[in-house]
């Protein structure tokens, strides 16, 4: 019997290729498209009921002769993913909405619909591989190092991973385009890349202002300060800045200045030289390990932002020296074996052994980290 697989169809190059590849391999393919956020540019004609990506996915499904469904997740997506995105900035952190969306929406929806439609597997167009070792399923970096998306998927559970198929994991984007052309989808093969954040067409600051019309009144301007707390000038409000930022600060100090820290309680943004962004330690919480008992003592590396170079490190679970009101889950102290720059609260820390993802966590405030270093390092 042919195995049934549910494919998350965005209407773009990658998911379209996945449908074709799986059909070629003899799977019975069913497509589903998630509608989460509508922007004006998502519609090519006035009065068009469905956004372009839904229409494109539906047209492909009709051309391939496969079933196609649309899951309208707009309300819940706004309540959870978009709300979290806004709240993180209001708390002085820099979120990564894809990390939140994947387990909470995309793969949850795929699992639920797969069960409903009697599908054995779920598949997406992510450039990532998976392997099984010692009874556990691990994500493995995609063969295309420029497209590898393992960083975004560290929160997926073993239950989800066991049902996943990632047909693009062992190929490259150029080969995917060539494959589509060979299959007679030349126009699709020439398509562009998707937006970095699906619900933000431009600057996230404008998005915050649109979603929170009273943001500037609620937060208001604050002070740029140096490391000693001396005022350097005025800023527009702490949510409009992120650790490591250099451009767009709107202040001239006669030399390059970088955001070192953000204090949402005082509405201050600390500026300093680039070398002051360097550190040998960071704190991470809410971990998700593939196998916590099998974490290696050596050979571990961590990626602190998408496409950044993995940095060799060691980590140690630590007891909280004081309770933060928004503290969540276990806390780990990470020791970099070489200095890291711009450790940014809210971003993901994803841990690798060679090219296998062994787990991840959220980078939290580094306030008081010296006490942890003295106590546990």
């Amino acid at each position: 019997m042919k195995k049934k697989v549910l494919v998350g169809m965005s209407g773009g190059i990658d998911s379209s290729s996945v449908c074709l590849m799986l059909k070629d391999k003899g799977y019975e393919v069913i497509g589903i498209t998630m509608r989460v956020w509508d922007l004006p540019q998502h519609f090519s004609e006035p009065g068009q009921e469905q956004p372009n990506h839904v229409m494109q996915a539906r047209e492909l499904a009709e051309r391939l002769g496969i079933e196609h469904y649309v899951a309208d997740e707009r309300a819940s997506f706004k309540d959870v993913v978009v709300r979290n995105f806004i709240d993180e900035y209001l708390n002085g952190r820099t979120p990564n909405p894809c990390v939140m969306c994947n387990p909470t929406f995309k793969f949850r929806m795929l699992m639920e619909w797969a069960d409903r439609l009697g599908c054995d597997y779920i598949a997406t167009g992510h450039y990532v591989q998976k392997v099984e070792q010692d009874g556990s399923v691990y994500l493995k970096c995609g063969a295309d190092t420029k497209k590898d998306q393992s960083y975004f998927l560290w929160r997926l559970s073993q239950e989800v991973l066991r049902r996943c198929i990632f047909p693009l994991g062992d190929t490259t984007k150029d080969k995917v385009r060539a494959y589509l052309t060979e299959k007679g989808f030349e126009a699709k093969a020439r398509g562009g890349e998707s937006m970095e954040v699906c619900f933000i067409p431009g600057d996230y600051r404008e998005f915050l202002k649109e979603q929170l019309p009273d943001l500037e009144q609620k937060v208001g301007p604050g002070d740029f300060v140096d490391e000693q707390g001396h005022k350097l000038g005025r800023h527009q409000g702490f949510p409009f800045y992120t650790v490591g930022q250099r451009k767009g600060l709107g202040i001239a100090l006669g030399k390059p200045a970088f955001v070192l820290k953000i204090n949402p309680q005082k509405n201050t943004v600390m500026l300093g030289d680039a070398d002051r962004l360097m550190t040998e330690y960071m704190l991470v919480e809410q971990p998700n390990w593939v196998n916590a008992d099998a974490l290696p003592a050596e050979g571990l590396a961590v990626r602190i932002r998408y496409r950044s170079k993995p940095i060799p490190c060691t980590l140690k679970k630590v007891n909280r020296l004081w309770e933060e009101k928004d503290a969540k889950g276990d806390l780990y102290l990470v020791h970099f074996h070489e200095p890291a720059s711009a450790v940014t609260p809210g971003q993901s820390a994803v841990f690798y052994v060679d090219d296998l993802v062994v787990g991840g966590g959220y980078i939290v405030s580094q306030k008081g980290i010296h006490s942890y270093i003295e106590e546990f390092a």
Side-chain angles (χ1 to χ4, degrees):
M1 294 179 62
K2 289 194 296 184
K3 293 286 188 178
K4 293 176 68 174
V5 57
L6 181 68
V7 177
M9 296 179 65
S10 68
I13 297 171
D14 298 328
S15 62
S16 299
S17 298
V18 166
C19 290
L20 287 162
M21 290 176 178
L22 291 174
K23 277 184 67 69
D24 282 351
K25 292 180 179 179
Y27 287 94
E28 180 183 345
V29 176
I30 298 176
I32 188 165
T33 302
M34 186 165 64
R35 184 177 181 182
V36 295
W37 194 265
D38 291 345
L39 292 168
Q41 55 265 47
H42 290 170
F43 298 84
S44 56
E45 298 179 5
Q48 182 177 313
E49 292 185 6
Q50 299 278 8
N52 293 332
H53 75 284
V54 175
M55 302 290 286
Q56 291 167 6
R58 180 170 293 166
E59 289 171 5
L60 177 67
E62 291 177 354
R63 184 170 171 180
L64 297 180
I66 64 175
E67 294 180 54
H68 178 256
Y69 299 87
V70 177
D72 191 337
E73 296 275 354
R74 284 176 292 176
S76 54
F77 184 86
K78 182 177 182 179
D79 289 343
V80 179
V81 175
V82 177
R83 182 72 259 171
N84 174 265
F85 180 86
I86 293 171
D87 287 346
E88 286 290 275
Y89 274 110
L90 292 180
N91 284 306
R93 295 186 288 264
T94 303
N96 190 313
C98 293
V99 172
M100 166 67 72
C101 176
N102 280 321
T104 309
F105 281 88
K106 184 173 292 182
F107 285 85
R108 172 192 61 80
M109 179 270 293
L110 287 171
M111 290 284 281
E112 291 176 357
W113 278 81
D115 290 340
R116 190 181 309 171
L117 298 172
C119 294
D120 303 284
Y121 303 106
I122 59 177
T124 68
H126 286 93
Y127 286 80
V128 68
Q129 305 176 75
K130 72 172 193 176
V131 297
E132 186 167 348
Q133 290 186 5
D134 301 322
S136 296
V137 179
Y138 291 83
L139 290 171
K140 180 180 178 181
C141 293
D144 189 336
T145 56
K146 295 180 180 179
K147 292 293 295 180
D148 169 49
Q149 293 169 303
S150 59
Y151 177 85
F152 298 111
L153 302 176
W154 64 268
R155 293 185 63 209
L156 295 185
S157 68
Q158 288 289 292
E159 178 188 9
V160 170
L161 288 176
R162 290 186 187 282
R163 290 181 70 178
C164 284
I165 301 176
F166 300 113
L168 307 187
D170 61 353
T171 189
T172 67
K173 187 77 174 196
D174 289 342
K175 290 181 179 179
V176 168
R177 291 184 187 275
Y179 173 78
L180 279 175
T181 300
E182 179 186 323
K183 287 291 185 178
F185 293 84
E186 295 89 349
K188 180 71 69 178
R190 292 193 298 269
E193 297 289 351
S194 57
M195 290 164 47
E196 186 172 343
V197 179
C198 67
F199 55 90
I200 300 181
D203 193 318
Y204 83 89
R205 298 164 184 84
E206 295 303 316
F207 179 80
L208 292 180
K209 293 176 184 178
E210 291 172 4
Q211 296 300 308
L212 300 172
D214 61 343
L215 175 61
E216 295 183 70
Q217 290 74 33
K218 185 181 295 184
V219 175
D223 292 320
F224 283 123
V225 298
D226 62 17
E227 292 185 80
Q228 289 71 45
H230 301 138
K231 296 180 181 179
L232 301 173
R234 299 288 282 173
H235 63 66
Q236 299 177 28
F238 73 85
F240 302 132
Y241 305 89
T242 186
V243 171
Q245 180 180 339
R246 180 176 69 87
K247 297 180 179 180
L249 298 179
I251 186 172
L253 298 177
K255 61 178 181 179
F258 297 80
V259 174
L260 304 184
K261 292 182 182 179
I262 295 170
N263 189 325
Q265 287 75 36
K266 296 182 179 180
N267 192 16
T268 58
V269 176
M270 182 185 294
L271 302 181
D273 297 333
D275 62 347
R276 301 300 293 166
L277 286 167
M278 306 303 289
T279 182
E280 293 183 6
Y281 292 89
M282 72 175 175
L283 293 169
V284 171
E285 70 175 9
Q286 298 186 65
N288 177 45
W289 306 115
V290 175
N291 187 345
D293 296 329
L295 287 175
E298 298 180 353
L300 199 65
V302 62
R303 184 173 281 163
I304 60 174
R305 62 183 63 86
Y306 179 46
R307 289 181 178 168
S308 68
K309 176 186 173 183
I311 304 170
C313 69
T314 53
L315 75 162
K316 182 180 293 186
K317 185 177 178 181
V318 298
N319 299 318
R320 294 183 186 273
L321 298 180
W322 52 83
E323 285 299 323
E324 301 277 353
K325 66 176 182 178
D326 58 350
K328 299 176 183 177
D330 293 333
L331 183 67
Y332 282 79
L333 178 67
V334 180
H335 180 203
F336 301 111
H337 294 178
E338 56 190 58
S341 178
V343 170
T344 307
Q347 290 288 286
S348 291
V350 183
F351 296 89
Y352 295 79
V353 173
D354 295 325
D355 56 0
L356 294 185
V357 176
V358 297
Y362 287 107
I363 300 172
V364 295
S365 171
Q366 306 302 296
K367 180 180 178 182
I369 191 171
H370 293 294
S371 297
Y372 286 95
I373 296 171
E374 293 172 1
E375 181 79 14
F376 300 104

